[in-house]
Structures are given as structure tokens and as C-alpha cells.
Amino acid sequence: MIFSRARRYKADMEAATTYEEWLEAATGYDRASGLMKWRESDVSKHFDYNSIRRRLEKLQRLRARGDCSGVLYALNEGVHGNIDGMGRGRLYHKAKSGTKQLIIEYVDEVVAALDMIAGKCGRAIPRAERIDFFRRAQHCYGRSALMMSGAGSLLFFHIGVARTLWEHGLLPTILSGSSGGAVVGGIVSTHKEKEIAEIFEPENLVFEIKRDEGIFRHLSAFAPEVANVKDVQKAINRQIPDVTFLEALELSGRHLNVSIAAAEKHQTSRLLNAITTPNVYVREAVMASAAVPGFFPAVRLAARNSDGKRQPYMPNRRWVDGSISHDIPAKRLARVYGVNHFVVSQVNPHIFPFVTDTQSTKKTMFTTLRAAAMASTREWVNAGASILEKPLSLNPIASRMTNVALGVLNQDYIGDVNIIPERLVFNPLRLLAQRSVDEIIELIELGQRATWPKIEQIRVQTKIGRKLDEILKKLDKTPVPKTLNVTKRAS
């Protein structure tokens, strides 16, 4: 009886057309299968539940007494996402509807305590001390980012992911993308918040592109639906306004990051954003990141000069598909923005056999052996390429293809939260092809459905960080009270 109810709820989850329907079915599944009892119990071997319970009760007591100094001291003991192990992935993948209730209550209590320090404690704690605390807390807690992989015309999966996160107020302000992911990041990050809903509509996302008949037509014989590069550029120009990275940040409040790879040998890849390349134009950057070698020509970047005019940026350099070198640029985002929590929308077809939707999959003999085999294979391939480096250098095409293959092989493709399609049937010959409205809708829905099981994990793991961003934004806008001129008053 129990198993039949669980199966029915699981079927309801698969048939759900909205997140609300899915969550209702997921909650029913957890009750029928006994997982709700696991959620309601503190006990777990994966985190120090006793310590979290003590912290929770302490904060509750201090906040109930209105003890501002005590709350501030308790928060100073540690505000970070994995305190006492409560950020471990396994805690978010056991039940369908969410994690331990203790963790949710603790996160909610920390958020309430932060609100108290920012609001009610305004007179008890000096403004400078509060701002200093919030800045240190934000630095220690870190930030979240959404990273969207290379995808070709499967990029509409990323639209479904970004749309779902945005609808739930969970879309990070830091976005990165390569190839198709760069297109989506560029669209989202160059529009105002009130325009987001409209640009997410499928009919507004149709790229009117035609079969390639240009200089790469000989390759189109193998992939007959490859888009014409001029039409791709027109489509990007229609979706993305002609702004620089800095202007995009000022327009949307989102930090766009675009991965590009060097077309020439001995040049390093780049991560373009408002900090490293504020005056570079987004359109050319996105087109460069989408320039798949062998199908689209390498792209020269453009930037706005001191006179406000467009001019070539590094005119002797050309750039190509960013997924070749940095599909998921986690280390660079960590260095530039202090990001330590990565949500990855991954739809790069060639890596599906090698990744799962979590870094914390339970270890078995099979998974251990598979990981060892993959690591060994990577080392042997790199060693072989090193041995053959000189002979390969005699053939530029073979050398370039080898470098591309090594760049793809040596990357990490997953993060803390990984959104991967459950089922993806695709024709590799259509990876760079135009998609119909029906196909776009199907891919968007695939992205939405893949995001639903991750919503509660993302909500819990980012709630404190989002609150710190919100408080600091308000404090930065609040005018500093004028100090009393004692000398003048005395006279």
C-alpha cells in the first residue's frame, strides 16, 4: 500500500506542469515513503545537528530578549554556508521536497537575526560597526553564481533554468556563460528587471537563421543545418542591445561573464566582464564565445574608447568558442567576485556520460572505479599528447584539434548544484541549427523541469547570502546621518 502511494506520487511528479504541482506531489511522495520523518528528525551522520540545534536555540533566546549585542556576537561566531556541515550535498538529495527541517529553521533564524541587526538595532549598534559586520559576513559567506555551459542551439534549456530561478527570486546576480550559455547570459544581463518576463517568452526567442552558404559550406555537407554566421550575428544583435559590459551591469544589476578562447596558439583564454573588460561590447563577446571552430570564423572584439566611439579591442587577436577552454569558469569567478557557491546549468552533450547531477553521489565500488578510470584516462591522454607534441606541431590542423580535445578533456563540468536534463534526445547534426517555436518550448520546459528538484536546495543554500546582499544594498543607499557640530552649538 505504501509503495503504491509512493509510485502514484512519483507519477504525479512526472506529470506536473507547474512547480507548485510538482512540489505537492514531491511532498506526498516523501510522506508516503517515510522520508518526511527523516526531514523532521534532527539526526544525521552528514552534519553536526547537535551544534546547529544549540546555535538555533541560542539565537532564538537572544532575539526574543531583544539583545542586540548578544545577537551580533552570536552571528560573529560564524556565518557561512557549510557551518557544521549543513551545506553537504547529500542532505539535499535524500528527500524530494527539501532538506532537514532543522537546517531550514536555522537558516530562517539567521536571516531574522540579520534583519534585526540591520533594523531594530540601529540605535544600539553604531552604523559603521554594523556595515563593517555585514561586509565581513558577506565576504566570509561568499556569493552564488549561475554558470551556463556551451550548448549550441540547446541554449533554450538554459532559458528554462534561468526563467525558473528568476520566477522564484533565486536567479543570482552573477552569471557566466560560454557559447550558447553566453547568448542566454547576454540576453538576461542586458535587460531591465521589468523586461525579463517578456524576453523569456518562446516566440521572442526564435532565431531566424538560415543554412550556412559561406566560406564554411564544405563542412555543412556533414552538418547540413549549420546556421549562416551573418544570420546568427543578426539574431544576437536583435536579442542583445549594443552595450558594453559596464553598461549592461548598470542596466540590469547583473554581472555578466563571457568565456572566450584564443584562436591563436600561445594565447590564453579570457573571462570578459565589467571588472576585467568594462568597455568591451557584449555583442561581439557573445558572438566570439559562440564561434565554434570549423563552423564559424574567429571573432575580433570591439570596445568603446575614451571618445565614446567603437574601435577594435586587441585588433591583432581573434577569439572563438569559450567552452573549449573554460566551459564552467569556477576558479575565475571565485577570484573576481568571491563566489563559492556554483549553480551549473549543464547541457553540453559530450560530457553527459561522465557527470551526475551532484558531486555528493553515494560512493559505491562502481562509482569509485569509474572515477579512477576517468582520472587515469585523462593522465594517459595528457602524457600521450606531451610525447607527440613535436610531431603534431608539423601539422597545424592536427595540433589545433589536439589542443581543443585536451582543453575539453581537462575541464571540470560540475558545481555545487547541477541542473542536468533527465532525458535529452538530440541530433548532433542539428546542434547549430535553427529551432522552431515548438522545439524551443520543449527545451525551455526541459530546463524548467530539471530545475524544480533543485529549487529548495538553492533557496536554502542562498537565502543568507541574498539577505546580506539586500541589507548592504539598502545601507549603501541610506544617507549617513549628519553629525552634530558641538563647537557651533556651544557658542
Coordinates of all heavy atoms in Angstrom, one line a residue, residues 313-393:
Y313 N 39.2 46.0 -30.2 CA 39.8 45.7 -28.9 C 40.9 44.6 -29.2 O 40.5 43.5 -29.7 CB 38.8 45.2 -27.9 CG 39.3 44.9 -26.6 CD1 39.7 45.9 -25.7 CD2 39.6 43.6 -26.2 CE1 40.1 45.7 -24.4 CE2 40.0 43.3 -24.9 CZ 40.3 44.3 -24.0 OH 40.8 44.0 -22.8
M314 N 42.1 44.9 -28.9 CA 43.2 43.9 -29.2 C 43.1 43.5 -30.7 O 42.8 42.3 -31.0 CB 43.2 42.7 -28.3 CG 43.3 43.0 -26.8 SD 43.3 41.6 -25.7 CE 44.9 40.9 -26.1
P315 N 43.3 44.4 -31.6 CA 43.0 44.2 -33.0 C 43.7 43.1 -33.7 O 43.3 42.5 -34.7 CB 43.4 45.5 -33.7 CG 44.3 46.2 -32.7 CD 43.8 45.8 -31.4
N316 N 44.8 42.6 -33.1 CA 45.6 41.5 -33.7 C 45.2 40.2 -33.2 O 45.8 39.1 -33.5 CB 47.1 41.7 -33.5 CG 47.6 43.0 -34.1 OD1 47.2 43.3 -35.2 ND2 48.6 43.6 -33.5
R317 N 44.1 40.1 -32.3 CA 43.7 38.9 -31.7 C 42.3 38.5 -32.2 O 41.5 39.4 -32.4 CB 43.7 39.0 -30.2 CG 45.1 39.2 -29.6 CD 45.9 38.0 -29.6 NE 47.2 38.2 -29.1 CZ 48.3 38.3 -29.8 NH1 48.2 38.2 -31.1 NH2 49.5 38.5 -29.3
R318 N 42.1 37.2 -32.4 CA 40.8 36.7 -32.7 C 40.4 35.6 -31.7 O 41.3 35.0 -31.1 CB 40.8 36.0 -34.1 CG 41.1 37.0 -35.2 CD 40.1 38.1 -35.4 NE 40.3 38.9 -36.6 CZ 41.1 39.9 -36.6 NH1 41.7 40.3 -35.5 NH2 41.3 40.6 -37.7
W319 N 39.1 35.5 -31.5 CA 38.6 34.7 -30.4 C 37.5 33.7 -30.8 O 36.8 34.0 -31.8 CB 38.1 35.5 -29.2 CG 39.1 36.6 -28.8 CD1 39.2 37.8 -29.3 CD2 40.1 36.4 -27.9 NE1 40.2 38.5 -28.7 CE2 40.8 37.6 -27.8 CE3 40.5 35.4 -27.0 CZ2 41.9 37.8 -27.0 CZ3 41.6 35.6 -26.2 CH2 42.3 36.8 -26.2
V320 N 37.4 32.5 -30.1 CA 36.5 31.5 -30.5 C 35.7 31.0 -29.3 O 35.9 31.5 -28.2 CB 37.2 30.3 -31.3 CG1 37.7 30.8 -32.6 CG2 38.3 29.7 -30.4
D321 N 35.0 29.9 -29.5 CA 34.1 29.2 -28.5 C 34.7 29.1 -27.2 O 35.7 28.4 -27.0 CB 33.7 27.9 -29.1 CG 32.7 27.2 -28.3 OD1 32.4 27.6 -27.2 OD2 32.1 26.2 -28.8
G322 N 34.1 29.7 -26.2 CA 34.7 29.7 -24.8 C 34.6 28.4 -24.1 O 35.4 28.1 -23.2
S323 N 33.7 27.5 -24.6 CA 33.6 26.2 -23.9 C 34.8 25.3 -24.2 O 35.0 24.3 -23.5 CB 32.3 25.5 -24.4 OG 32.3 25.2 -25.8
I324 N 35.6 25.6 -25.1 CA 36.8 24.8 -25.4 C 37.8 24.9 -24.3 O 38.4 23.9 -23.9 CB 37.5 25.4 -26.7 CG1 36.6 25.1 -27.9 CG2 38.9 24.7 -26.9 CD1 37.2 25.7 -29.2
S325 N 37.9 26.0 -23.6 CA 38.9 26.2 -22.5 C 38.2 26.3 -21.1 O 38.8 25.8 -20.2 CB 39.8 27.4 -22.8 OG 39.0 28.6 -23.0
H326 N 37.1 27.1 -21.1 CA 36.5 27.3 -19.8 C 35.0 27.3 -19.9 O 34.3 28.4 -19.9 CB 37.0 28.7 -19.2 CG 38.3 28.6 -18.5 ND1 39.5 28.8 -19.2 CD2 38.7 28.3 -17.3 CE1 40.5 28.7 -18.4 NE2 40.1 28.4 -17.2
D327 N 34.5 26.1 -20.0 CA 33.0 26.0 -20.1 C 32.4 26.4 -18.8 O 31.4 27.1 -18.8 CB 32.7 24.5 -20.4 CG 31.2 24.3 -20.8 OD1 30.7 25.1 -21.6 OD2 30.6 23.4 -20.2
I328 N 33.0 26.0 -17.7 CA 32.5 26.4 -16.3 C 33.6 27.1 -15.6 O 34.4 26.4 -14.9 CB 32.0 25.1 -15.6 CG1 31.0 24.4 -16.4 CG2 31.5 25.5 -14.2 CD1 29.7 25.1 -16.6
P329 N 33.8 28.4 -15.7 CA 34.9 29.1 -15.1 C 34.9 29.4 -13.6 O 34.9 30.5 -13.2 CB 34.9 30.4 -15.9 CG 33.5 30.7 -16.2 CD 32.9 29.3 -16.4
A330 N 34.7 28.3 -12.8 CA 34.5 28.5 -11.4 C 35.7 29.2 -10.7 O 35.5 30.1 -9.9 CB 34.3 27.1 -10.7
K331 N 36.9 28.8 -11.0 CA 38.1 29.4 -10.3 C 38.2 30.9 -10.6 O 38.5 31.7 -9.7 CB 39.4 28.7 -10.7 CG 39.5 27.3 -10.2 CD 40.8 26.7 -10.6 CE 40.9 25.3 -10.0 NZ 42.2 24.6 -10.4
R332 N 37.9 31.3 -11.8 CA 38.0 32.7 -12.2 C 36.9 33.5 -11.5 O 37.1 34.7 -11.0 CB 37.9 32.9 -13.7 CG 39.1 32.3 -14.4 CD 39.1 32.5 -15.9 NE 40.4 32.1 -16.5 CZ 40.7 32.3 -17.7 NH1 39.9 32.9 -18.5 NH2 41.9 31.8 -18.2
L333 N 35.7 33.0 -11.4 CA 34.6 33.7 -10.7 C 34.9 33.8 -9.2 O 34.6 34.8 -8.6 CB 33.3 33.0 -10.9 CG 32.7 33.0 -12.3 CD1 31.4 32.2 -12.3 CD2 32.4 34.4 -12.8
A334 N 35.5 32.8 -8.7 CA 35.9 32.8 -7.2 C 36.9 34.0 -7.0 O 36.8 34.7 -6.0 CB 36.5 31.5 -6.8
R335 N 37.8 34.1 -7.9 CA 38.9 35.1 -7.8 C 38.3 36.5 -7.9 O 38.7 37.4 -7.2 CB 40.0 34.8 -8.8 CG 41.2 35.8 -8.6 CD 42.4 35.3 -9.4 NE 42.1 35.3 -10.8 CZ 42.0 34.2 -11.6 NH1 42.2 33.0 -11.0 NH2 41.8 34.3 -12.9
V336 N 37.5 36.7 -8.9 CA 37.0 38.1 -9.2 C 35.9 38.5 -8.3 O 35.9 39.7 -7.9 CB 36.5 38.1 -10.7 CG1 35.9 39.5 -11.0 CG2 37.6 37.8 -11.7
Y337 N 34.9 37.6 -7.9 CA 33.8 38.0 -7.2 C 33.7 37.4 -5.8 O 32.7 37.7 -5.1 CB 32.5 37.6 -7.9 CG 32.4 38.3 -9.3 CD1 32.7 37.6 -10.5 CD2 31.9 39.6 -9.4 CE1 32.5 38.1 -11.7 CE2 31.8 40.2 -10.7 CZ 32.1 39.5 -11.8 OH 32.0 40.0 -13.1
G338 N 34.5 36.5 -5.4 CA 34.4 35.8 -4.2 C 33.3 34.8 -4.2 O 32.7 34.5 -3.1
V339 N 33.0 34.2 -5.4 CA 31.9 33.2 -5.5 C 32.4 31.9 -4.9 O 33.6 31.5 -5.2 CB 31.5 33.0 -7.0 CG1 30.6 31.8 -7.1 CG2 30.9 34.3 -7.5
N340 N 31.6 31.3 -4.1 CA 32.0 30.0 -3.5 C 30.8 29.0 -3.6 O 30.9 27.9 -3.0 CB 32.5 30.1 -2.1 CG 31.4 30.7 -1.1 OD1 30.3 31.0 -1.6 ND2 31.7 30.7 0.2
H341 N 29.8 29.4 -4.3 CA 28.6 28.5 -4.4 C 28.2 28.6 -5.9 O 27.8 29.6 -6.4 CB 27.5 29.0 -3.5 CG 26.3 28.1 -3.6 ND1 25.1 28.4 -4.3 CD2 26.0 26.8 -3.0 CE1 24.2 27.4 -4.2 NE2 24.8 26.5 -3.4
F342 N 28.3 27.4 -6.6 CA 28.1 27.4 -8.0 C 26.9 26.6 -8.4 O 26.8 25.4 -8.1 CB 29.3 26.9 -8.7 CG 30.6 27.6 -8.4 CD1 31.4 27.2 -7.4 CD2 30.9 28.8 -9.1 CE1 32.6 28.0 -7.1 CE2 32.0 29.5 -8.8 CZ 32.9 29.1 -7.8
V343 N 25.9 27.2 -9.1 CA 24.8 26.6 -9.7 C 25.1 26.4 -11.2 O 25.4 27.4 -11.9 CB 23.5 27.4 -9.5 CG1 22.3 26.6 -10.2 CG2 23.2 27.6 -8.0
V344 N 25.1 25.2 -11.6 CA 25.6 24.9 -13.0 C 24.4 24.4 -13.8 O 23.8 23.4 -13.5 CB 26.7 23.9 -13.1 CG1 27.1 23.5 -14.5 CG2 27.9 24.4 -12.3
S345 N 24.1 25.1 -14.9 CA 23.1 24.6 -15.9 C 24.0 23.9 -17.0 O 24.6 24.6 -17.8 CB 22.3 25.7 -16.5 OG 21.4 25.2 -17.5
Q346 N 23.9 22.6 -17.1 CA 24.9 21.8 -17.9 C 24.1 21.1 -19.0 O 23.3 20.2 -18.7 CB 25.7 20.9 -17.1 CG 26.7 20.0 -17.8 CD 27.7 20.9 -18.6 OE1 27.5 21.1 -19.8 NE2 28.7 21.4 -18.0
V347 N 24.3 21.4 -20.2 CA 23.6 20.7 -21.3 C 24.6 20.5 -22.5 O 24.2 20.2 -23.6 CB 22.4 21.6 -21.8 CG1 22.9 22.8 -22.6 CG2 21.4 20.7 -22.6
N348 N 25.9 20.4 -22.1 CA 26.9 20.1 -23.1 C 26.9 18.6 -23.4 O 27.3 17.8 -22.6 CB 28.3 20.6 -22.6 CG 29.2 21.2 -23.7 OD1 29.0 20.8 -24.9 ND2 30.0 22.1 -23.3
P349 N 26.4 18.2 -24.6 CA 26.1 16.8 -24.8 C 27.3 15.9 -24.6 O 27.2 14.7 -24.1 CB 25.7 16.8 -26.3 CG 25.2 18.1 -26.6 CD 26.1 19.0 -25.7
H350 N 28.5 16.3 -24.9 CA 29.7 15.4 -24.9 C 30.1 15.0 -23.5 O 30.9 14.0 -23.4 CB 30.9 16.0 -25.7 CG 31.5 17.2 -25.0 ND1 31.1 18.5 -25.2 CD2 32.5 17.3 -24.1 CE1 31.8 19.3 -24.5 NE2 32.6 18.6 -23.8
I351 N 29.6 15.7 -22.5 CA 30.1 15.3 -21.1 C 29.0 14.6 -20.3 O 29.2 14.2 -19.2 CB 30.5 16.6 -20.3 CG1 29.4 17.6 -20.2 CG2 31.7 17.2 -21.0 CD1 28.5 17.5 -19.0
F352 N 27.8 14.4 -20.9 CA 26.7 13.7 -20.2 C 27.1 12.3 -19.7 O 26.8 11.9 -18.6 CB 25.5 13.5 -21.1 CG 24.7 14.8 -21.2 CD1 23.6 14.8 -22.1 CD2 25.0 15.9 -20.5 CE1 22.9 16.0 -22.2 CE2 24.3 17.0 -20.6 CZ 23.2 17.1 -21.4
P353 N 27.9 11.5 -20.4 CA 28.3 10.2 -19.9 C 29.2 10.2 -18.6 O 29.3 9.2 -17.9 CB 29.0 9.5 -21.0 CG 28.6 10.2 -22.3 CD 28.4 11.6 -21.8
F354 N 29.7 11.4 -18.4 CA 30.8 11.4 -17.3 C 30.3 12.2 -16.1 O 31.1 12.4 -15.2 CB 32.0 12.1 -17.9 CG 32.5 11.4 -19.2 CD1 32.3 12.1 -20.4 CD2 33.0 10.2 -19.2 CE1 32.7 11.5 -21.6 CE2 33.4 9.6 -20.4 CZ 33.3 10.2 -21.6
V355 N 29.1 12.8 -16.1 CA 28.7 13.6 -14.9 C 27.4 13.1 -14.4 O 26.6 12.5 -15.1 CB 28.6 15.1 -15.3 CG1 29.9 15.6 -15.8 CG2 27.5 15.3 -16.3
T356 N 27.2 13.4 -13.1 CA 25.9 13.2 -12.5 C 25.4 14.6 -12.0 O 26.1 15.6 -12.1 CB 26.0 12.3 -11.3 OG1 26.9 12.8 -10.4 CG2 26.5 10.9 -11.8
D357 N 24.2 14.6 -11.4 CA 23.6 15.9 -11.0 C 24.1 16.3 -9.6 O 23.6 17.3 -9.1 CB 22.1 15.9 -11.0 CG 21.5 14.9 -10.0 OD1 22.3 14.2 -9.4 OD2 20.3 15.0 -9.7
T358 N 25.1 15.6 -9.1 CA 25.6 16.1 -7.8 C 27.0 15.6 -7.6 O 27.4 14.5 -8.1 CB 24.7 15.5 -6.6 OG1 25.4 15.8 -5.4 CG2 24.6 14.0 -6.7
Q359 N 27.8 16.4 -6.9 CA 29.2 16.0 -6.5 C 29.2 15.0 -5.4 O 30.2 14.3 -5.1 CB 30.0 17.2 -6.1 CG 30.3 18.1 -7.2 CD 31.0 19.4 -6.7 OE1 30.7 19.9 -5.7 NE2 32.1 19.8 -7.4
S360 N 28.0 14.8 -4.7 CA 28.0 14.1 -3.5 C 27.3 12.7 -3.6 O 26.6 12.2 -2.7 CB 27.2 14.9 -2.4 OG 27.8 16.1 -2.3
T361 N 27.3 12.2 -4.9 CA 26.7 10.9 -5.1 C 27.3 9.8 -4.1 O 28.5 9.8 -3.9 CB 26.9 10.4 -6.5 OG1 26.4 11.4 -7.4 CG2 26.3 9.1 -6.8
K362 N 26.5 9.0 -3.6 CA 27.0 8.0 -2.6 C 28.0 7.1 -3.3 O 27.8 6.6 -4.4 CB 25.8 7.1 -2.1 CG 26.2 6.1 -1.1 CD 25.0 5.3 -0.6 CE 25.4 4.3 0.5 NZ 24.2 3.6 1.0
K363 N 29.1 6.9 -2.6 CA 30.2 6.1 -3.2 C 29.9 4.6 -3.2 O 29.5 4.1 -2.2 CB 31.5 6.4 -2.4 CG 32.1 7.8 -2.7 CD 33.5 7.9 -2.1 CE 34.1 9.3 -2.4 NZ 35.4 9.4 -1.8
T364 N 30.1 4.0 -4.3 CA 30.0 2.6 -4.4 C 31.2 2.1 -5.1 O 32.0 2.9 -5.6 CB 28.7 2.2 -5.3 OG1 28.9 2.7 -6.6 CG2 27.5 2.8 -4.7
M365 N 31.3 0.8 -5.2 CA 32.5 0.2 -5.9 C 32.5 0.7 -7.4 O 33.6 1.0 -7.9 CB 32.5 -1.3 -5.9 CG 33.7 -2.0 -6.5 SD 33.6 -3.8 -6.5 CE 33.8 -4.0 -4.7
F366 N 31.3 0.8 -8.0 CA 31.3 1.2 -9.4 C 31.7 2.6 -9.6 O 32.5 2.9 -10.5 CB 29.8 1.0 -9.9 CG 29.6 1.5 -11.3 CD1 30.1 0.9 -12.4 CD2 28.9 2.7 -11.5 CE1 29.9 1.4 -13.7 CE2 28.8 3.3 -12.8 CZ 29.3 2.6 -13.9
T367 N 31.1 3.5 -8.7 CA 31.5 4.9 -8.9 C 32.9 5.2 -8.6 O 33.5 6.1 -9.2 CB 30.6 5.8 -8.0 OG1 30.7 5.4 -6.6 CG2 29.1 5.7 -8.4
T368 N 33.5 4.5 -7.6 CA 34.9 4.7 -7.3 C 35.8 4.2 -8.5 O 36.7 4.9 -8.8 CB 35.3 3.9 -6.0 OG1 34.4 4.3 -4.9 CG2 36.7 4.1 -5.7
L369 N 35.4 3.1 -9.0 CA 36.2 2.5 -10.2 C 36.1 3.4 -11.4 O 37.0 3.7 -12.1 CB 35.8 1.1 -10.5 CG 36.2 0.0 -9.5 CD1 35.5 -1.3 -9.9 CD2 37.7 -0.1 -9.4
R370 N 34.9 4.0 -11.6 CA 34.7 4.8 -12.7 C 35.5 6.1 -12.6 O 36.1 6.6 -13.5 CB 33.2 5.2 -12.9 CG 32.9 6.0 -14.1 CD 31.4 6.3 -14.3 NE 31.0 7.3 -13.3 CZ 29.8 8.0 -13.4 NH1 29.0 7.7 -14.3 NH2 29.5 8.9 -12.5
A371 N 35.5 6.7 -11.4 CA 36.3 7.9 -11.1 C 37.8 7.7 -11.3 O 38.5 8.5 -11.9 CB 36.0 8.4 -9.7
A372 N 38.2 6.5 -10.9 CA 39.6 6.2 -11.0 C 40.0 6.0 -12.5 O 41.0 6.4 -13.0 CB 40.0 4.9 -10.2
A373 N 39.1 5.3 -13.2 CA 39.3 5.0 -14.7 C 39.4 6.4 -15.4 O 40.2 6.6 -16.3 CB 38.2 4.1 -15.2
M374 N 38.5 7.3 -15.1 CA 38.4 8.6 -15.8 C 39.7 9.4 -15.5 O 40.3 10.0 -16.4 CB 37.2 9.4 -15.3 CG 35.9 8.8 -15.9 SD 34.5 9.7 -15.2 CE 34.8 11.4 -15.8
A375 N 40.1 9.4 -14.2 CA 41.4 10.1 -13.9 C 42.6 9.5 -14.6 O 43.4 10.2 -15.1 CB 41.5 10.1 -12.4
S376 N 42.6 8.2 -14.6 CA 43.7 7.5 -15.3 C 43.7 7.8 -16.8 O 44.8 8.1 -17.4 CB 43.6 6.0 -15.0 OG 44.7 5.3 -15.7
T377 N 42.6 7.7 -17.4 CA 42.5 8.0 -18.8 C 42.9 9.4 -19.1 O 43.7 9.7 -20.1 CB 41.0 7.8 -19.3 OG1 40.6 6.5 -19.1 CG2 40.9 8.1 -20.8
R378 N 42.5 10.4 -18.3 CA 42.9 11.8 -18.5 C 44.5 11.9 -18.5 O 45.1 12.6 -19.3 CB 42.3 12.7 -17.5 CG 42.6 14.1 -17.6 CD 42.0 15.0 -16.5 NE 40.5 15.0 -16.6 CZ 39.7 15.7 -15.9 NH1 40.2 16.5 -14.9 NH2 38.4 15.7 -16.1
E379 N 45.1 11.3 -17.5 CA 46.5 11.4 -17.3 C 47.2 10.7 -18.5 O 48.2 11.3 -19.0 CB 47.0 10.7 -16.0 CG 46.5 11.4 -14.8 CD 47.1 12.8 -14.7 OE1 48.3 13.0 -15.1 OE2 46.4 13.7 -14.3
W380 N 46.8 9.6 -19.0 CA 47.4 8.9 -20.1 C 47.2 9.7 -21.4 O 48.2 9.8 -22.2 CB 46.8 7.5 -20.3 CG 47.4 6.5 -19.5 CD1 46.8 5.9 -18.4 CD2 48.7 5.9 -19.6 NE1 47.7 5.0 -17.8 CE2 48.9 5.0 -18.5 CE3 49.7 6.1 -20.5 CZ2 50.0 4.2 -18.4 CZ3 50.9 5.4 -20.3 CH2 51.1 4.4 -19.3
V381 N 46.1 10.3 -21.6 CA 45.9 11.2 -22.8 C 46.8 12.4 -22.8 O 47.4 12.7 -23.8 CB 44.4 11.6 -22.9 CG1 44.2 12.6 -24.0 CG2 43.5 10.4 -23.2
N382 N 46.9 13.0 -21.6 CA 47.8 14.2 -21.5 C 49.2 13.8 -21.7 O 50.0 14.5 -22.3 CB 47.6 14.8 -20.1 CG 46.4 15.7 -20.1 OD1 46.2 16.7 -20.8 ND2 45.5 15.4 -19.1
A383 N 49.6 12.6 -21.2 CA 51.0 12.2 -21.4 C 51.3 11.9 -22.8 O 52.3 12.2 -23.4 CB 51.2 10.9 -20.5
G384 N 50.3 11.2 -23.5 CA 50.5 10.9 -24.9 C 50.6 12.2 -25.8 O 51.4 12.2 -26.7
A385 N 49.8 13.2 -25.4 CA 49.8 14.4 -26.2 C 51.2 15.1 -26.0 O 51.7 15.8 -26.9 CB 48.7 15.3 -25.7
S386 N 51.7 15.0 -24.7 CA 53.0 15.7 -24.5 C 54.1 15.0 -25.3 O 55.0 15.7 -25.8 CB 53.3 15.6 -23.0 OG 54.5 16.1 -22.7
I387 N 54.1 13.7 -25.4 CA 55.1 12.9 -26.1 C 55.0 13.3 -27.6 O 56.0 13.4 -28.3 CB 54.9 11.4 -25.9 CG1 55.2 11.1 -24.4 CG2 55.8 10.6 -26.8 CD1 54.8 9.6 -24.0
L388 N 53.8 13.4 -28.1 CA 53.6 13.7 -29.5 C 53.6 15.1 -29.9 O 53.2 15.5 -31.0 CB 52.3 13.0 -30.0 CG 52.2 11.5 -29.8 CD1 50.8 11.0 -30.2 CD2 53.2 10.8 -30.8
E389 N 53.9 16.0 -28.9 CA 53.8 17.4 -29.2 C 54.6 17.9 -30.4 O 54.1 18.6 -31.3 CB 54.2 18.2 -28.0 CG 54.0 19.7 -28.1 CD 54.4 20.5 -26.9 OE1 54.8 19.9 -25.9 OE2 54.3 21.7 -26.9
K390 N 55.8 17.4 -30.5 CA 56.7 17.8 -31.6 C 56.2 17.3 -32.9 O 56.1 18.1 -33.9 CB 58.1 17.4 -31.3 CG 59.2 18.1 -32.2 CD 60.6 17.8 -31.7 CE 61.6 18.6 -32.5 NZ 63.0 18.4 -32.0
P391 N 55.9 16.0 -33.1 CA 55.4 15.6 -34.4 C 54.1 16.3 -34.8 O 53.9 16.6 -35.9 CB 55.2 14.1 -34.1 CG 56.1 13.7 -33.0 CD 56.1 14.9 -32.1
L392 N 53.2 16.5 -33.8 CA 52.0 17.1 -34.1 C 52.2 18.6 -34.6 O 51.4 19.1 -35.4 CB 51.0 17.1 -32.9 CG 50.4 15.8 -32.5 CD1 49.7 15.9 -31.2 CD2 49.4 15.3 -33.6
S393 N 53.2 19.2 -34.1 CA 53.5 20.6 -34.4 C 53.7 20.8 -35.9 O 53.6 21.9 -36.5 CB 54.6 21.2 -33.6 OG 55.8 20.5 -34.0

